[in-house]
């Protein structure tokens, strides 16, 4: 079991919402952290119940990069343990690259603690497998271009959708009309299956079953504008016809002979 060390910054994935989906490692760090900086607009405050009563708890929504780095650097140099709580998993749309670069430049040691991503939480609450045999064995995690983030032409939704893989769209609920148009341009029919998951695993979680052509309307009717994941692909409606060979009685592998196969 790894130690939680003073003078270190821990960039932690707080998971999709449910505090019980925090990892054991993340909970141990929060229990010992002197300073906790959390993404207050995206993280359930119940996660903070893991923190010490005397921990200094700060929000990040009202601070820019310079302020955040200054707090983390000064605290770590003072021998304190710092927990930087991000929503979901920090490696996905977490804007941690610049934080890591600044910490490295300042000589501050840090560790990334992975978390449960919203895409996996969404699949769980939808009770769907993202990779269905014979339907899709590839998952594309992406977003449509918005005001805060440019998307390279080769990574546009229209280009990626040509692969007909399972698509999970982050940060795109407010641009649902654009999502529908780009998918249509890639050859998706208006009635192709889609699903919208708002705040997966939160108490106010909402699931909307939709289609490519009705995403914007269904989001509007549901009153959803943000904090929602859009999933698109035939995996949503794959039925009994698509089954893995892994547990098929007629399929042999290293650990199991098929029924009726001769003894070695």
């Amino acid at each position: 079991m790894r130690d939680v060390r003073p003078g270190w910054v821990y960039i932690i994935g707080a998971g999709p919402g449910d505090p019980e989906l925090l990892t054991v490692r993340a909970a141990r760090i929060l229990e010992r952290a002197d300073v906790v900086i959390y993404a207050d607009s995206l993280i359930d405050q119940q996660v903070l119940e893991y923190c010490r009563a005397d921990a200094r708890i700060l929000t990040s929504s009202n601070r820019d990069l310079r302020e955040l780095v200054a707090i983390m650097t000064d605290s770590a140099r003072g021998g304190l343990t710092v927990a930087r709580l991000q929503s979901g998993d920090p490696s996905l749309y977490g804007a941690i690259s610049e934080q890591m670069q600044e910490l490295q430049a300042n000589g501050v040691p840090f560790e990334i603690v992975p978390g449960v991503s919203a895409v996996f939480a969404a699949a769980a609450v939808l009770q769907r497998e993202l990779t269905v045999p014979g339907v899709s064995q590839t998952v594309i995690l992406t977003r449509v271009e918005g005001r805060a983030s440019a998307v390279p032409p080769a990574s546009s939704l229209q280009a990626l959708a040509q692969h007909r893989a399972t698509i999970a769209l982050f940060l795109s609920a407010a641009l649902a009309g654009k999502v529908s148009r780009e998918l249509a341009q890639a050859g998706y029919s208006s009635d192709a299956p889609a699903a919208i998951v708002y705040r997966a695993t939160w108490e106010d979680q909402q699931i909307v079953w939709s289609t490519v052509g009705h995403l914007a309307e269904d989001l509007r009717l549901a009153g959803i504008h943000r904090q929602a994941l859009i999933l698109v692909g035939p995996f949503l409606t794959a039925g009994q016809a698509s089954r893995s060979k892994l547990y098929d009685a007629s399929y042999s592998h290293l650990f199991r002979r098929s029924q009726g196969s001769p003894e070695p």
Side-chain angles (χ1 to χ4, degrees), residues 45-61:
Q45 285 196 357
Q46 291 183 66
V47 171
L48 301 178
E49 292 177 5
Y50 288 97
C51 300
R52 292 183 355 222
D54 62 341
R56 182 187 179 199
I57 297 176
L58 305 168
T59 59
S60 63
S61 64

Side-chain angles (χ1 to χ4, degrees), residues 112-126:
I112 310 297
V113 181
V116 178
S117 170
V119 65
F120 305 124
V125 301
L126 289 172

Side-chain angles (χ1 to χ4, degrees), residues 9 30-31 59 61 72 77-78 80 86-87 99 107 111 114 117 134 137 162 168 177-179 184 202 255:
V9 172
L30 288 179
E31 287 168 357
T59 59
S61 64
M72 291 188 284
R77 285 176 175 170
L80 302 179
Q86 310 254 156
S87 62
Q99 296 178 60
E111 177 186 324
S117 170
Q137 291 292 284
Q162 305 288 339
K178 184 174 183 178
V179 170
W202 289 66
F255 300 101

Side-chain angles (χ1 to χ4, degrees), residues 10-241:
Y10 294 89
I11 300 176
I12 298 170
D18 185 343
E20 291 190 344
L21 291 177
L22 199 70
T23 66
V24 174
R25 174 70 173 162
R28 286 185 58 241
I29 293 168
L30 288 179
E31 287 168 357
R32 296 181 57 179
D34 302 293
V35 178
V36 178
I37 307 170
Y38 79 108
D40 49 306
S41 61
L42 298 170
I43 293 176
D44 192 324
Q45 285 196 357
Q46 291 183 66
V47 171
L48 301 178
E49 292 177 5
Y50 288 97
C51 300
R52 292 183 355 222
D54 62 341
R56 182 187 179 199
I57 297 176
L58 305 168
T59 59
S60 63
S61 64
N62 57 340
R63 291 179 167 86
D64 60 25
L65 177 64
R66 179 187 56 80
E67 293 174 294
L68 291 171
V69 171
I71 294 168
M72 291 188 284
T73 299
D74 292 345
S75 300
R77 285 176 175 170
L80 302 179
T81 299
V82 181
R84 170 68 171 111
L85 272 176
Q86 310 254 156
S87 62
D89 182 272
S91 67
L92 285 174
Y93 306 108
I96 63 169
S97 293
E98 54 263 43
Q99 296 178 60
M100 292 189 290
Q101 290 166 8
E102 293 294 327
L103 291 173
Q104 287 173 335
N106 292 335
V108 176
F110 62 88
E111 177 186 324
I112 310 297
V113 181
V116 178
S117 170
V119 65
F120 305 124
V125 301
L126 289 172
Q127 298 184 338
R128 293 294 187 273
E129 183 178 357
L130 296 171
T131 53
V132 180
V135 176
S136 175
Q137 291 292 284
T138 301
V139 182
I140 295 174
L141 311 180
T142 188
R143 64 176 297 179
V144 290
E145 188 169 61
R147 186 170 62 91
S149 223
V151 174
S155 296
S156 70
L157 179 57
Q158 182 180 349
L160 295 174
Q162 305 288 339
H163 297 287
R164 291 300 190 272
T166 295
I167 299 175
L169 285 149
F170 289 74
L171 306 166
S172 301
L175 299 168
K178 184 174 183 178
V179 170
S180 293
R181 288 192 299 274
E182 293 200 22
L183 289 172
Q185 289 165 358
Y188 277 72
S189 64
S190 177
D191 60 355
I196 301 154
V197 182
Y198 170 74
R199 287 161 65 93
T201 76
W202 289 66
E203 291 184 2
D204 60 349
Q205 166 189 294
Q206 197 172 350
I207 295 172
V208 180
W209 296 97
S210 184
T211 61
V212 165
H214 291 86
L215 282 170
E217 179 184 3
D218 288 342
L219 277 160
R220 180 182 60 80
L221 291 173
I224 299 171
H225 309 287
R226 58 191 292 272
Q227 287 187 274
L229 199 72
I230 299 173
L231 296 116
V232 178
F235 79 97
L236 290 166
T237 53
Q240 295 287 340

